[in-house]
Amino acid sequence: MRAAVLHEIGQDKLEVLDDVEAVGFGPGRVRIRVRATGLCHSDLSAMGGVLPQPAPFVPGHEGAGEVLEVGEGVTRVKPGDRVVVCWLPACGACPACRRGQTELCLAGFMNAGTPNFKRPGGDVFGFAGTGTFAEEVVVDAGCAVPIPDDVPFDIAALIGCGVTTGLGAALNTADVAAGSSVAVIGCGGVGVSAIQGARLKGAAEIVAVDPVASRREAALRFGATKAVSPEELADAKQQITGGEGFDYVFEVVGRSATARTAYDTTRRGGTLVVVGAGAMDDFLQLNMFELFFDEKRILPSMYGGGDVLRSYERTIALWRAGRIDLTGLITHRVPLAEIDEALDQMRTGAALRTCIEI
């Protein structure tokens, strides 16, 4: 089958090959024909070495498709079912799951070091234990989450990561209060989803912050009340909050520099929500006095900070009711053969989300 492969960490380009085979099918496993996958910035981070990932590997973790085959013991899905790929399934038995913090379950990471594919030249890994930039993928049954027939594959793919992460940061992690002020730093697909979540919760002021003009314009369409460049953020803070700072600030970039800006932009007693996935050697510096004196809450948000399956269901319900816009998030659609074009669009900020049609 065809798949896009990164041969070495640090390379900018993917090679679309037709000699890749999905492996690992057996009891408790599901073979999926991928129909659509989103290009998430985490894919670029893994390619660049920001996020740990062995190579060679097939990127992609935000996918949807049809079940081709199920292994022994699999009862939740059957051949022909439409599913979204969940890259972080909950085992239901570990301490995190028993506490109700299923987004912190580590079971899904246990497979990250096992090859998902092979080629004549050797093993190939799948990003985050999946690898959806491929025509087929074999995953644990918990990674194949059934979706209703009326949810298009491209919409379902977004729900698999970006939308769930952004919406959940506002709805679950921050639990944004009605009438509050919000700033969102980084307005790609995840940031715009956080904006939609803040709007759903009734935030009075939502400031979108991004260096790319097209993303700022898009943020206004999705519910931001004001959109500024990073250089204009200080003025917006002064105009909207009288210099006090915002009630909630979402950092959706994954860098210590923007996290520091987000902290400084949060009011005393306010909430900083860290959504972006950053590097292990990028350290955020805060002094002990400001931590004590400012009493700002710092809340990391992993995959939306709530039960993933419930979040999927909630997102579909909100989309059906017209309360959130998911179709508008997909600003580019390309076939797998044009994957490098999609990568360039992501790097330059030209696309909120690019859908790879497979």
Side-chain angles (χ1 to χ4, degrees), residues 14 104 256 296:
L14 294 171
L104 299 181
S256 60
K296 299 179 183 182

Side-chain angles (χ1 to χ4, degrees), residues 280-295:
M280 289 188 290
D281 60 354
D282 187 11
F283 296 95
L284 172 62
Q285 292 190 344
L286 300 168
N287 68 63
M288 293 303 295
F289 178 78
E290 64 186 336
L291 279 175
F292 159 77
F293 187 71
D294 290 338
E295 203 177 278

Side-chain angles (χ1 to χ4, degrees), residues 104-350:
L104 299 181
C105 178
L106 294 175
F109 288 108
M110 300 305 177
N111 293 322
T114 301
N116 295 63
F117 308 93
K118 70 177 182 180
R119 297 183 58 223
D123 292 332
V124 179
F125 297 91
F127 178 46
T130 58
T132 55
F133 289 0
E135 291 180 321
E136 293 182 13
V137 63
V138 173
V139 295
D140 281 343
C143 297
V145 180
I147 56 172
D149 290 342
D150 67 326
V151 182
F153 288 123
D154 54 358
I155 296 299
L158 297 185
I159 293 173
C161 185
V163 171
T164 296
T165 298
L167 275 181
L171 303 181
N172 301 327
T173 307
D175 191 16
V176 172
S180 59
S181 60
V182 171
V184 177
I185 301 177
C187 297
V190 177
V192 166
S193 295
I195 288 170
Q196 294 200 76
R199 177 176 54 82
L200 282 169
K201 295 290 286 185
E205 299 284 350
I206 306 174
V207 177
V209 186
D210 199 282
V212 181
S214 61
R215 288 190 171 185
R216 297 197 297 269
E217 295 168 3
L220 293 171
R221 296 196 303 270
F222 285 96
T225 57
K226 187 178 182 67
V228 299
S229 67
E231 294 76 20
E232 298 169 318
L233 177 56
D235 288 341
K237 173 184 170 182
Q238 181 64 40
Q239 294 169 7
I240 293 173
T241 73
E244 181 185 18
F246 295 89
D247 298 316
Y248 303 89
V249 180
F250 294 82
E251 196 280 344
V252 200
V253 180
R255 295 179 182 169
S256 60
T258 47
R260 179 70 232 196
T261 297
Y263 183 90
D264 294 337
T265 307
T266 305
R267 67 166 172 82
R268 293 186 69 213
T271 300
L272 163 60
V273 183
V274 180
V275 186
M280 289 188 290
D281 60 354
D282 187 11
F283 296 95
L284 172 62
Q285 292 190 344
L286 300 168
N287 68 63
M288 293 303 295
F289 178 78
E290 64 186 336
L291 279 175
F292 159 77
F293 187 71
D294 290 338
E295 203 177 278
K296 299 179 183 182
R297 297 190 304 158
I298 303 176
L299 302 179
S301 185
M302 176 73 170
Y303 207 177
D307 180 84
V308 174
L309 300 186
R310 177 68 191 97
S311 294
Y312 288 176
E313 294 171 357
R314 178 180 60 192
T315 299
I316 291 172
L318 290 168
W319 168 74
R320 281 174 169 166
R323 300 291 303 281
I324 57 174
D325 178 6
L326 301 185
T327 304
L329 282 171
I330 304 172
T331 51
H332 293 74
R333 288 178 169 82
V334 300
L336 184 62
E338 298 176 13
I339 185 68
D340 283 332
E341 175 187 338
L343 294 174
D344 291 340
Q345 291 167 350
M346 176 66 75
R347 292 189 182 100
T348 61

Side-chain angles (χ1 to χ4, degrees), residues 21-100:
E21 179 184 351
V23 298
F25 183 74
R29 306 278 282 176
V30 176
R31 185 186 301 276
I32 299 171
R33 170 64 169 95
V34 180
R35 294 296 182 183
T37 182
L39 173 57
C40 180
H41 199 275
S42 295
D43 299 310
L44 294 181
S45 295
M47 291 172 61
V50 173
L51 297 180
Q53 171 62 49
F57 76 96
V58 176
H61 61 289
E62 193 180 75
E66 299 165 328
V67 174
L68 294 177
E69 189 178 8
V70 300
E72 181 182 352
V74 176
T75 59
R76 189 170 65 169
V77 295
K78 62 184 185 302
D81 284 353
R82 299 160 63 91
V83 295
V84 60
V85 176
C86 175
W87 61 271
L88 192 61
C91 71
C94 69
C97 286
R98 293 198 301 270
R99 287 192 299 264

